[in-house]
Amino acid sequence: MSASPHKTSLSNQTGLSNKSAWLLSWQGVTFFILLLTLYRILAITQGHVSLFYDEAYYYHWSLDPDWGYYSKPPMVAWIITMTTSLFSDNDFAVKLGAPILYGLTAGVVYRIGKHLWNPQAAACSALVFCAAPLVGFNSLFITTDAPLLFFWALATWLFIIALQTQSWKNWLLVGVAVGLGMMSKYTMALLPIGLFLYMGASKQYRPLLLTLKPWSAAVVAGLIFALNIYWNYQHNFVTLNHTSEISQLDKKLFNPDKLAEFILSQLIVFGPIWSYFLIRQWMSKEARAAITQSGILLATFLPLFLIICTQALLSRAFINWAAPCLIAASLWTGFYLSRQPRRKLIIGLIIQLGFISTFYHWPIILESAGIERTRKVDPFQRTQGWSELATQLKPVLMASPNALITSPSRKLLAYISFYAEPGQLRVARWNPDQNNIRDYYDLLFNLRNYAHQNQQAFILINETPLDSNLLSRFQQCGSEQHYTETVFRDLSREIYLYECTGFKGYINEGP
């Protein structure tokens, strides 16, 4: 873990201006990260940046802090609990953790680069990370990737320090960081695998495997993660069933086209400019020589990347499944750019941040240009109109405060419950198949829990009219009510609502 022999000073950089020299100082890069984070916080206050339904769904998790939830560990819900406790139950507060966590991760990337190489490479790496499209896009939406990337970077940094200092405190902190990462997303399990492989492959650090320190870190991580395992035990390991389902390994098991698509997508989410420099860096003999001295980055990159590529080849892989690979990629690219004329870094930042900023404000740009917003040209169209539609339903919900909002749709339960009644959750999920639990609502609030309670009222909602067979499972249902909200000329949100009482049970479960 020794520093690279290729360290350089600012004075040796070709064409280095005073401004770019200041940007690559620790004061400059800190100011840049803080300013960019503030800008991204302000971006989520824009009217068109509303909640994606997964965010509203995670918000409902946060109303009941627990050690686990249907499909994910609890960290994202805990973060939303903290931010909404401070800033109330609204879109801004739900999303706030995302830009803050990505800003903190950029700071940790800087610390890793400084330990591996030098302050200039560290600064370039942090800037590269900030300007990756995936980071920019995800800064508008709170997902499990935000805490995952933070704890992935933090555990990597602490691991480097622990190797250098051999301090019990630092090894135990590695365990805490890995454990909290596991409580963020199960992908984190691949990081300690890579770290142990790194120690095993290193003559210098292999003897550590015969000591208690790295194993104590593993025990600490395991004890933290055991809380989520216990939760899964209490709920019949529903999370494992969900993970197995989305992997789709029961389908066609050889898809080279999916693999190629996945690899291309990784170049896109890292950004075309950074991807070009990353490829150039691997073609540079000098840069490769420095990279081999920081094999720790290979250990944090390869296991995850190879496993997700294998998953893509066998069935499919979502574009964000290899998101932590951005950390090593940013560091490699940052090292390469630290040895290049500064204009390459500056031009790359301008292009990539310009692209991200254009995405942030695209609806405003369209309106300013006199171009009509439609579902085909507005990338935010999937999140639009739900707040207004929920407002239309408020009088019905207020008139029946004891009625349960019921739907076969997770999306509707998330959106309508959040926007109509923030801070509350009174839902009953329609799903007759008790062997195929679909989501958090289904796990804890399935409609069958209220069967044969003749006085219990329900407000059924759906995006299309419900058929008579479904409505017949209630003792009584009022006439159909239709609500619509026009978003664009070619996009409307619709809800069909029925006020019912007395659920008889599902067809195969009730009389």
Side-chain angles (χ1 to χ4, degrees):
M1 212 50 54
S2 58
S4 166
H6 302 283
K7 286 190 175 186
T8 57
S9 65
L10 284 174
S11 60
N12 293 331
Q13 299 299 328
T14 304
L16 183 62
S17 67
N18 290 333
K19 290 184 178 180
S20 61
W22 182 80
L23 178 62
L24 297 186
S25 67
W26 73 265
Q27 299 97 329
V29 75
T30 300
F31 178 78
F32 183 92
I33 293 171
L34 288 174
L35 188 64
L36 184 61
T37 300
L38 176 61
Y39 165 64
R40 286 172 171 168
I41 289 173
L42 293 175
I44 63 178
T45 66
Q46 298 175 105
H48 60 267
V49 185
S50 8
L51 293 187
F52 190 66
Y53 68 83
D54 273 349
E55 296 178 282
Y57 178 57
Y58 297 151
Y59 165 79
H60 286 140
W61 293 3
S62 76
L63 297 178
D64 183 22
D66 208 339
W67 299 118
Y69 297 93
Y70 166 75
S71 59
K72 303 286 191 301
M75 186 62 69
V76 67
W78 294 352
I79 291 167
I80 293 172
T81 297
M82 289 188 288
T83 55
T84 54
S85 296
L86 292 172
F87 299 101
S88 191
D89 303 293
N90 53 60
D91 293 39
F92 171 78
V94 172
K95 292 174 177 288
L96 181 59
I100 291 175
L101 281 168
Y102 285 116
L104 291 173
T105 305
V108 180
V109 168
Y110 175 88
R111 301 303 301 179
I112 296 171
K114 186 176 179 182
H115 271 83
L116 293 179
W117 298 305
N118 56 67
Q120 291 74 51
C124 290
S125 300
L127 296 175
V128 166
F129 177 83
C130 287
L134 182 65
V135 172
F137 176 82
N138 278 2
S139 292
L140 297 188
F141 305 96
I142 186 66
T143 70
T144 53
D145 287 334
L148 170 67
L149 265 66
F150 172 71
F151 288 115
W152 188 286
L154 183 63
T156 301
W157 175 42
L158 291 170
F159 178 76
I160 294 170
I161 296 174
L163 288 179
Q164 293 175 342
T165 64
Q166 289 304 306
S167 161
W168 269 103
K169 181 188 75 171
N170 290 326
W171 279 110
L172 294 179
L173 286 174
V174 172
V176 171
V178 171
L180 293 176
M182 289 293 295
M183 296 294 271
S184 302
K185 196 170 183 177
Y186 299 128
T187 307
M188 187 74 183
L190 294 174
L191 179 61
I193 291 174
L195 299 183
F196 273 97
L197 288 174
Y198 172 73
M199 286 188 288
S202 168
K203 291 182 179 180
Q204 181 180 359
Y205 300 119
R206 194 177 304 146
L208 281 174
L209 296 177
L210 301 178
T211 69
L212 288 176
K213 291 177 181 177
W215 300 105
S216 298
V219 169
V220 170
L223 288 174
I224 295 173
F225 183 54
L227 297 169
N228 181 254
I229 295 176
Y230 178 68
W231 181 92
N232 270 280
Y233 168 76
Q234 290 179 309
H235 296 85
N236 298 315
F237 292 95
V238 65
T239 305
L240 293 180
N241 295 331
H242 168 76
T243 303
S244 175
E245 179 182 315
I246 64 173
S247 68
Q248 293 190 353
L249 290 175
D250 57 335
K251 297 186 178 180
K252 180 184 175 184
L253 293 182
F254 187 70
N255 302 278
D257 57 324
K258 296 294 184 181
L259 174 59
E261 179 182 321
F262 173 74
I263 293 175
L264 178 61
S265 72
Q266 299 312 294
L267 297 176
I268 292 172
V269 298
F270 190 45
I273 307 301
W274 297 157
S275 294
Y276 169 76
F277 288 137
L278 179 63
I279 294 170
R280 286 292 303 272
Q281 178 260 350
W282 278 107
M283 295 171 63
S284 164
K285 182 178 180 180
E286 182 183 26
R288 285 200 308 273
I291 295 290
T292 57
Q293 297 183 11
S294 59
I296 178 62
L297 295 184
L298 285 174
T300 66
F301 179 90
L302 277 181
L304 174 61
F305 188 73
L306 292 178
I307 287 176
I308 302 301
C309 282
T310 301
Q311 168 70 33
L313 178 64
L314 294 180
S315 60
R316 66 170 181 175
F318 289 114
I319 195 170
N320 67 316
W321 282 5
C325 289
L326 284 180
I327 294 168
S330 297
L331 285 155
W332 286 326
T333 305
F335 174 82
Y336 174 78
L337 287 171
S338 71
R339 303 187 56 78
Q340 300 296 311
R342 287 294 171 264
R343 65 176 183 275
K344 292 186 177 182
L345 174 67
I346 301 302
I347 292 173
L349 285 172
I350 291 171
I351 293 175
Q352 299 226 160
L353 288 176
F355 169 79
I356 296 168
S357 184
T358 299
F359 167 76
Y360 286 174
H361 309 299
W362 186 245
I364 298 173
I365 293 171
L366 289 176
E367 292 176 350
S368 299
I371 300 173
E372 181 183 11
R373 290 174 64 188
T374 66
R375 65 186 308 168
K376 293 183 178 180
V377 300
D378 192 325
F380 294 89
Q381 56 91 9
R382 294 180 66 187
T383 67
Q384 304 298 286
W386 296 107
S387 174
E388 295 79 2
L389 189 59
T391 299
Q392 293 188 44
L393 271 61
K394 273 188 178 181
V396 178
L397 299 177
M398 292 177 65
S400 304
N402 296 318
L404 298 174
I405 305 171
T406 304
S407 179
S409 167
R410 173 172 73 97
K411 178 176 70 176
L412 286 187
L413 290 177
Y415 270 140
I416 301 306
S417 296
F418 176 81
Y419 283 119
E421 298 181 324
Q424 300 183 52
L425 184 59
R426 48 162 170 156
V427 300
R429 171 73 149 88
W430 175 283
N431 177 19
D433 188 355
Q434 60 183 330
N435 296 318
N436 187 20
I437 298 173
R438 306 302 302 167
D439 50 56
Y440 173 71
Y441 307 128
D442 196 3
L443 180 66
L444 298 182
F445 308 105
N446 189 281
L447 187 56
R448 69 170 52 86
N449 298 336
Y450 309 97
H452 313 302
Q453 299 179 18
N454 293 337
Q455 302 306 311
Q456 178 62 59
F458 302 91
I459 298 174
L460 272 70
I461 55 176
N462 202 44
E463 291 185 82
T464 57
L466 293 171
D467 62 47
S468 58
N469 288 332
L470 189 151
L471 296 175
S472 70
R473 303 315 301 160
F474 297 86
Q475 297 285 353
Q476 181 178 357
C477 282
S479 58
E480 178 182 281
Q481 302 175 45
H482 181 214
Y483 298 84
T484 184
E485 175 69 29
T486 300
V487 182
F488 307 133
R489 173 176 48 82
D490 59 347
L491 176 62
S492 296
R493 305 294 182 200
E494 294 185 86
I495 280 186
Y496 293 83
L497 183 148
Y498 309 80
E499 297 184 71
C500 304
T501 55
F503 179 55
K504 301 175 184 178
Y506 297 118
I507 291 177
N508 61 339
E509 297 175 359

